[in-house]
Amino acid sequence: MTLPALPAEAYLWFKTLHIVGVVVWFAGLFYLVRLFIYHVEAEALEEPLRSAFQQQYTLMERRLANIITTPGMVVAVAMAVGLLVAQPIWLKQGWMHAKLAVVMALLAYHWFCYRLMGQLRQGSCRWSGRQLRALNELPTLMLVLVVMLVVFKGQFPTGAATWFLVALVVAMAGSIQFYARWRRLRVEQEALAGGA
């Protein structure tokens, strides 16, 4: 039994909604772990501020995950299935296998964020703000990899421009970590100076 042919514009609708879903999903992933960082760092506050901030972050995390991030993921994945139905030949190509592997890693990251969210809600999270900042860089790297796989397909670049881009992404991630550390040290120094 053969499936009926899809209308010509179905592919374009799948692609459009897939891109929208990916943008929404990644926006949620980027901001969700940022909220986790603030949630963990609120532990250093005195009561009643600590409880108030942590309750607010718990609410914001749950809403972001359930109203934006997960629906974005569902749309992205559902439309990706539609694209693969419209273009089944892609399933025989190596770049698609690599892209699907990265998407599986993203799904695991998404699930892990829900696990961290539960730990934060229960007060049992052992991750530091610094560790969460490093974790927050993972979806950026995966996004760059997925975009490169889709754009270059079988001709994945290995020249100087590619390594420059990789170095640029690593430098950006490093500078974000450096700035966060510098800011944290500055706040600590100001606190020490104020207490003297």
Side-chain angles (χ1 to χ4, degrees), residues 36-58:
F36 294 168
I37 294 166
Y38 299 150
H39 194 143
V40 165
E41 291 178 348
E43 190 65 36
L45 298 173
E46 298 291 329
E47 286 295 350
L49 283 177
R50 177 176 47 222
S51 295
F53 273 106
Q54 288 182 331
Q55 286 174 4
Q56 184 62 33
Y57 289 135
T58 297

Side-chain angles (χ1 to χ4, degrees), residues 55-114:
Q55 286 174 4
Q56 184 62 33
Y57 289 135
T58 297
L59 177 66
M60 292 169 70
E61 291 158 3
R62 190 176 67 242
R63 286 181 177 170
L64 177 63
N66 294 336
I67 298 173
I68 295 173
T69 313
T70 298
M73 178 207 58
V74 169
V75 169
V77 170
M79 295 304 105
V81 170
L83 285 167
L84 291 173
V85 167
Q87 298 288 335
I89 192 74
W90 287 348
L91 288 171
K92 297 179 181 178
Q93 298 174 0
W95 69 270
M96 181 56 71
H97 299 162
K99 180 187 175 190
L100 292 174
V102 175
V103 170
M104 294 309 259
L106 276 166
L107 291 169
Y109 181 89
H110 185 105
W111 171 82
F112 187 71
C113 285
Y114 265 88

Side-chain angles (χ1 to χ4, degrees), residues 89-181:
I89 192 74
W90 287 348
L91 288 171
K92 297 179 181 178
Q93 298 174 0
W95 69 270
M96 181 56 71
H97 299 162
K99 180 187 175 190
L100 292 174
V102 175
V103 170
M104 294 309 259
L106 276 166
L107 291 169
Y109 181 89
H110 185 105
W111 171 82
F112 187 71
C113 285
Y114 265 88
R115 185 170 172 215
L116 280 175
M117 195 167 53
Q119 290 174 357
L120 285 164
R121 186 176 57 248
Q122 295 168 0
S124 63
C125 181
R126 300 287 177 247
W127 286 67
S128 69
R130 185 176 185 177
Q131 291 170 320
L132 289 168
R133 279 185 177 84
L135 180 70
N136 201 28
E137 302 304 324
L138 277 179
T140 303
L141 296 174
M142 288 190 266
L143 177 62
V144 169
L145 186 56
V146 165
V147 170
M148 289 178 72
L149 285 165
V150 170
V151 170
F152 292 104
K153 294 186 174 43
Q155 295 83 35
F156 201 76
T158 56
T162 302
W163 294 115
F164 174 74
L165 180 64
V166 168
L168 190 62
V169 169
V170 169
M172 272 183 9
S175 66
I176 291 168
Q177 294 296 320
F178 175 77
Y179 173 74
R181 180 175 168 74

